[in-house]
């Protein structure tokens, strides 16, 4: 993404802050065991404002008459670069990423009390990380200790993330390009999985097909742990053991997406292991597909956030009655919440740098917020039928979710993941090929 976009975001945040100072650290490196680390992933807020991917970095924004963006980052270090790879160092980072100032991270503790002195307000994610809370408190105490010298400390602390959340909710053209590419990679992986599945294979073999397709196409990682759930496993919403054999006659639910240059895709497809839906599987699948179509039809700027969920519930409730999963009228099933035995989650979430992305779902009056062009969300209804006395036996252990990534446009929406096949005939044809 273009450096100018990151600079524009910082300028915009500085204007929102008006007067005060913001401190935004990136994520720490995490040790897996001994000297092995988990793959490093930068903090989404920090990255959104900097484009800088190295660990051990902090962004400081000083708002006011002379607004400034200051980066603290690791020093150049030939010894460490021989072992771990390139580091920018402060001078190159300042030039490359457009900061007004850049300093060595080793100067952070010495400089922060000076930068905090006489600032009216501090914007910081208090409570997100105990280590950073303690460090910032230490700096503030150093400033307060200078009170008799006429120095004042910020007397108000606000969560900087709230301001950035609103910015992150509306995707720019460059972000949407990345999200389309991320979506296309994940969609191709789902199509590939349909072609690779055979009874007798293990769930992890299919997970490997996803990793193959993600990395082969340039994604840096999965966006979350892939769910590859054959048969009854699909009724466990967060199943990710992925270690069972796939059985002839079962469905396979796969919830998998990738992360490309920070941006997530999030797709679920459900299809028959043997390539042909049984009558019962098809009945439930068509119901979930109809619920998803109804929900997607509600994604436009004249509707609020919850309209797609309401539309999906309306279809599902009637379908559950038709399938004899629920009894009574549709209104009664919706009113009592009886549908929750089979559909216990919501129909989507914001999507972006995080798979469950930043952004409020309600407005300041407590009402569902209106959808607006540039917002990106998932639409993911499902139906999970665990064995129970009140459930017709031929439906037991059917678990289905269908999930797409959707962009709100000026007059409607664009399904970013449309190339992942989902109509019954298209799935069966692809699996035959
Ligand atoms: N894959 C996470 C979700 O669907 O919310
Ligand atoms: Mn999702
Ligand atoms: Mn998902």
């Amino acid at each position: 993404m273009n450096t100018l976009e990151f600079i524009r975001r910082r300028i915009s945040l500085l204007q929102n802050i008006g007067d005060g100072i913001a401190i935004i650290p990136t994520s720490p490196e995490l040790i897996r065991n001994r000297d092995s680390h988990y793959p490093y992933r930068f903090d989404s807020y920090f990255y959104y404002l900097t484009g800088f991917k190295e660990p051990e970095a902090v962004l400081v924004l000083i708002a006011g008459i002379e607004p400034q963006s200051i980066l603290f980052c690791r020093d150049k270090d030939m010894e460490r670069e021989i072992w771990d790879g390139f580091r920018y160092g402060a001078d190159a980072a300042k030039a490359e990423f457009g900061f007004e100032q850049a300093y060595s991270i080793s100067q952070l503790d010495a400089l922060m009390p000076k930068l905090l002195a006489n600032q009216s307000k501090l914007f910081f994610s208090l409570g997100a990380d105990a280590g950073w809370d303690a460090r910032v408190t230490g700096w503030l105490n150093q400033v307060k200790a200078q009170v008799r010298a006429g120095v004042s400390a910020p007397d108000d602390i606000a969560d900087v993330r709230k301001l950035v959340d609103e910015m992150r909710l509306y995707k720019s053209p460059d972000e949407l390009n990345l999200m389309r590419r991320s979506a296309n990679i994940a969609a191709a992986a789902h199509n590939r999985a349909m072609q690779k599945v055979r009874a007798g294979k293990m769930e992890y073999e299919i997970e490997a097909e996803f990793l193959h397709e993600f990395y082969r196409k340039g994604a840096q990682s999965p966006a979350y742990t892939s769910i590859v759930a054959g048969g009854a496993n699909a009724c466990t919403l967060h199943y990710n053991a992925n270690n069972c054999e796939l059985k002839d006659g079962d469905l396979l639910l796969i919830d998998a997406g990738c992360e490309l240059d920070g941006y997530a895709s999030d797709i679920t497809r459900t299809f028959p292991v043997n390539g042909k839906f049984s009558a019962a599987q098809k009945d439930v699948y068509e119901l979930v597909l109809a619920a998803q179509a109804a929900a997607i039809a509600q994604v436009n700027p004249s509707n609020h956030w919850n309209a797609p969920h309401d539309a999906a519930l309306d279809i599902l409730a009637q379908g559950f009655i038709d399938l004899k999963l629920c009894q009574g009228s549709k209104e009664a099933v919706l009113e009592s919440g009886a549908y929750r035995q089979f559909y216990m989650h919501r129909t989507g979430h914001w999507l972006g740098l995080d798979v469950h992305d930043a952004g409020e779902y309600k407005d300041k009056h407590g009402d569902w917020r209106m959808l607006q062009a540039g917002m990106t969300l998932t639409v993911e209804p499902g139906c999970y039928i665990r064995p129970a006395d009140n459930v017709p036996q031929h439906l037991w252990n059917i678990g289905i979710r269908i999930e797409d990534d959707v962009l709100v446009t000026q007059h409607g929406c664009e399904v970013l993941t449309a190339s992942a096949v989902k109509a019954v005939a298209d799935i069966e044809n692809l699996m035959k090929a």
Side-chain angles (χ1 to χ4, degrees), residues 61-325:
L61 297 174
I62 300 181
I65 305 162
E66 263 186 71
Q68 285 193 62
S69 301
I70 304 171
L71 179 76
F72 289 84
C73 67
R74 300 183 304 192
D75 293 318
K76 292 291 293 173
D77 180 338
M78 276 325 290
E79 171 75 8
R80 285 318 322 158
E81 291 185 53
I82 287 168
W83 287 89
D84 301 329
F86 175 79
R87 314 172 158 200
Y88 276 94
D91 291 343
K94 178 182 164 196
E96 184 76 18
F97 295 87
F99 298 102
E100 275 73 38
Q101 301 292 339
Y103 298 105
S104 164
I105 191 74
S106 64
Q107 292 179 266
L108 187 68
D109 287 319
L111 288 180
M112 279 316 298
K114 295 189 176 79
L115 294 173
L116 282 160
N118 298 319
Q119 292 291 345
S120 58
K121 190 162 179 177
L122 169 62
F123 290 81
F124 172 69
S125 55
L126 197 66
D129 179 283
W132 279 109
D133 287 358
R135 209 158 163 190
V136 170
T137 304
W139 299 334
L140 287 172
N141 285 337
Q142 287 185 49
V143 181
K144 285 175 187 161
Q146 301 173 59
V147 64
R148 280 186 296 281
V151 176
S152 67
D155 54 10
D156 194 4
I157 301 182
D159 193 340
V160 65
R161 294 173 300 185
K162 271 200 167 260
L163 298 177
V164 185
D165 284 350
E166 275 306 296
M167 298 167 64
R168 284 176 56 182
L169 198 47
Y170 302 89
K171 273 61 179 183
S172 70
D174 281 358
E175 287 181 292
L176 289 173
N177 278 342
L178 278 176
M179 291 189 69
R180 283 195 187 90
R181 286 174 52 210
S182 180
N184 284 336
I185 294 170
H190 279 268
N191 292 344
R192 177 187 171 93
M194 289 180 200
Q195 294 173 295
K196 295 285 178 184
V197 162
R198 298 283 177 275
K201 281 196 179 183
M202 303 297 285
E203 291 166 341
Y204 53 70
E205 291 180 74
I206 305 305
E207 183 179 11
E209 298 294 344
F210 278 82
L211 297 177
H212 173 97
E213 195 70 9
F214 290 166
Y215 291 126
R216 187 172 90 84
K217 297 265 176 71
Q220 289 79 23
S221 71
Y224 52 92
T225 307
S226 304
I227 295 170
V228 183
N233 294 337
C235 295
T236 300
L237 294 180
H238 291 165
Y239 175 81
N240 60 23
N242 300 352
N243 59 2
C244 292
E245 188 178 316
L246 298 170
K247 301 265 170 39
D248 192 2
D250 276 355
L251 289 173
L252 173 58
L253 180 156
I254 302 178
D255 186 343
C258 62
E259 183 174 301
L260 180 75
D261 294 347
Y263 285 82
S265 44
D266 181 8
I267 305 180
T268 308
R269 288 292 182 265
T270 311
F271 51 93
V273 168
N274 64 14
K276 183 100 186 115
F277 285 89
S278 71
Q281 289 167 349
K282 191 169 161 185
D283 284 346
V284 184
Y285 187 87
E286 294 282 20
L287 171 63
V288 177
L289 194 58
Q292 201 214 23
I296 290 173
Q298 296 299 314
V299 180
N300 64 65
S302 53
N303 281 330
H304 59 65
W305 160 260
N306 213 43
H309 182 61
D310 288 341
L313 274 188
D314 201 68
I315 300 282
L316 289 173
Q318 185 57 53
F320 292 167
I321 295 164
D322 298 342
L323 290 167
K324 305 211 169 356
L325 293 168

